[in-house]
């Protein structure tokens, strides 16, 4: 065991719950585990009991493999929906982790914050996390700024569901003979979903409508090199993404150089059809900023936050819903890790 003990990072998202356990020292290797399916959401938000039911046995299994006396000194839990649905998690998890595992330092973060920590670290800058949806988050290390992430009905502009819906709209326009239609996208709609007139019956009853819409986004990208309507959709998406980044990216101070804008999430695997116009829009809206691929995922970000917390070096700003760090339990005898500042 290391002198500072062990830390855990948790990533709770739509695909399930993931855990990483590692020494508190920065950049030391971690062991990971898939803890189960997605955590339930109930009348009080994300179900803390269901999260703990999956998390605690997995932590104990990983700790058992580290030898006698291994203990966790800090934990960071990142969860999709933490900002708007995390009230129960914020009320329950700190006490439960202290009682069950002896964890004395806990950070509770929105998944956008763990994505930021995984992609940018603890430096000023911005991250755009884009998959089915889209959210941008930036900080100058004194406060957070957020743009979008409001879901496919109210926003997520430029995300996968937005692109897919725009592509399907263009396909249906071609089917009807209306202006703005795309025969190429109509052909792809028929290949993927079947008869266009049957699409509403397939789409509207689905609880996973955003994911179904987003599944058509790669078809739009595949048509962009030969279809101007598809290319225009991706250009518009790139403009929305750049606008979200510009809304949150802090201005550099004197001598700072350009800020880093990290791009993370599956949407950017579309490659050049989206990235070429995106870099053009970013250069126009954020001259001097450096657009870079995200260097890590939310699980890595949770581990980074936990390690900074254990060392008393967490520089990312606290926030009531985006990044909550409850008051620490007094350290146990022999706990040499510093208290958070």
């Amino acid at each position: 065991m290391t002198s500072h003990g062990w830390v855990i990072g948790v990533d709770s998202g739509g695909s399930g719950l993931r855990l990483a356990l590692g020494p508190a020292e920065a950049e030391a290797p971690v062991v990971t585990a898939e803890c189960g399916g997605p955590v339930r959401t109930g009348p009080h938000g994300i179900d803390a009991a269901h999260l703990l039911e999956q998390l605690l046995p997995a932590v104990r299994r990983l700790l058992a493999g580290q030898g006698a006396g291994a203990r966790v000194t800090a934990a960071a839990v990142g969860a999709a929906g933490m900002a708007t649905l995390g009230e129960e998690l914020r009320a329950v998890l700190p006490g439960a982790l202290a009682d069950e595992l002896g964890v004395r330092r806990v950070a509770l973060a929105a998944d956008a914050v763990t994505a930021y920590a995984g992609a940018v670290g603890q430096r000023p800058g911005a991250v755009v996390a884009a998959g089915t949806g889209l959210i941008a988050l930036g900080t100058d290390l004194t406060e957070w700024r957020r743009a979008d992430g409001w879901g496919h009905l109210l926003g997520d502009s430029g995300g996968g569901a937005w692109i897919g819906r725009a592509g399907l709209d263009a396909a249906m326009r071609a089917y009807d003979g209306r202006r703005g239609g795309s025969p190429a996208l109509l052909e792809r709609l028929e290949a993927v979903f079947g008869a266009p007139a049957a699409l509403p019956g397939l789409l509207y009853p689905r609880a996973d409508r955003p994911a179904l819409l987003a599944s058509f986004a790669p078809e739009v990208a595949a048509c962009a090199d030969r279809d101007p309507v598809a290319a225009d959709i991706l250009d518009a998406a790139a403009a929305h993404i750049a606008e979200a980044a510009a809304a949150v990216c802090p201005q550099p101070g004197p001598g700072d150089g350009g800020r880093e804008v990290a791009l993370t999430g599956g949407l950017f695997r579309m490659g050049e059809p989206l990235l070429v116009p995106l870099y053009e829009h970013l250069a126009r809206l954020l001259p001097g900023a450096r657009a870079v691929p995200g260097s890590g995922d939310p699980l890595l970000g949770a581990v980074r936050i936990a390690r900074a917390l254990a060392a008393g070096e967490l520089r990312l700003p606290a926030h009531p819903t985006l990044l909550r760090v409850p008051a620490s339990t007094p350290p146990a005898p022999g706990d040499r890790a510093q208290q958070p500042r």
Side-chain angles (χ1 to χ4, degrees):
M1 189 180 100
T2 69
S3 61
H4 291 293
W6 300 78
V7 300
I8 56 175
V10 179
D11 175 42
S12 176
S15 60
L17 189 71
R18 301 185 298 156
L19 161 70
L21 172 76
E25 283 81 0
E27 307 307 325
V30 300
V31 290
T32 63
E34 300 282 341
C35 303
V39 176
R40 291 190 298 262
T41 299
H44 302 293
I46 301 169
D47 189 328
H50 189 221
L51 186 149
L52 290 165
E53 177 185 305
Q54 297 187 56
L55 177 63
L56 293 175
V59 173
R60 291 183 177 119
R61 285 194 298 271
L62 292 184
L63 278 174
Q66 309 309 319
R71 59 189 175 86
V72 177
T73 58
V77 179
M82 178 73 81
T84 53
L85 298 170
E87 183 176 354
E88 184 175 307
L89 294 185
R90 290 186 287 270
V92 172
L93 286 191
L97 293 176
D99 292 343
E100 297 291 337
L101 299 173
V103 181
R104 302 181 181 281
R105 301 167 184 82
V106 176
L108 304 172
D111 60 340
V113 171
T114 52
Y116 184 98
V120 181
Q122 295 202 89
R123 304 187 303 276
V127 64
V128 179
T132 296
L134 183 141
I135 186 170
L137 198 68
T139 183
D140 58 2
L141 301 186
T142 62
E143 64 178 0
W144 291 103
R145 297 186 67 180
R146 166 186 173 165
D148 216 332
W150 306 122
H152 75 291
L153 293 178
L154 296 176
D156 286 355
S157 300
W162 187 97
I163 292 172
R165 186 203 172 281
L168 291 171
D169 175 82
M172 297 304 291
R173 287 176 175 274
Y175 179 71
D176 291 341
R178 290 180 287 147
R179 183 173 60 88
S182 166
L185 291 174
L186 175 59
E187 180 180 337
R188 296 312 307 151
L189 183 158
E190 292 171 335
V192 174
F193 296 116
L199 184 59
L202 172 66
L203 177 64
Y204 294 142
R206 297 275 290 259
D208 61 345
R209 284 187 300 275
L212 189 66
L213 291 170
S215 72
F216 196 68
E219 304 294 339
V220 179
C223 292
D225 64 344
R226 64 183 189 278
D227 179 45
V229 174
D232 285 347
I233 289 171
L234 293 183
D235 182 73
H240 284 306
I241 295 168
E243 288 163 3
V248 302
C249 190
Q251 293 296 317
D256 279 356
R259 295 298 195 207
E260 185 174 282
V261 178
L263 307 174
T264 184
L267 188 72
F268 299 115
R269 288 197 290 268
M270 284 185 177
E272 289 189 359
L274 178 64
L275 293 177
V276 169
L278 175 56
Y279 291 147
E280 293 173 354
H281 287 290
L282 285 171
R284 176 175 56 83
L285 294 176
L286 287 171
R290 301 185 302 277
V292 299
S295 58
D297 69 5
L299 184 60
L300 172 62
V303 172
R304 285 179 170 174
I305 290 172
R307 283 173 164 163
L309 193 59
E313 297 174 352
L314 183 61
R315 298 190 297 275
L316 296 176
H319 184 277
T321 59
L322 292 174
L323 181 59
R324 175 79 65 87
V325 183
S328 300
T329 304
D335 183 354
R336 295 170 54 187
Q338 298 176 354
Q339 292 291 302
R341 289 195 283 236

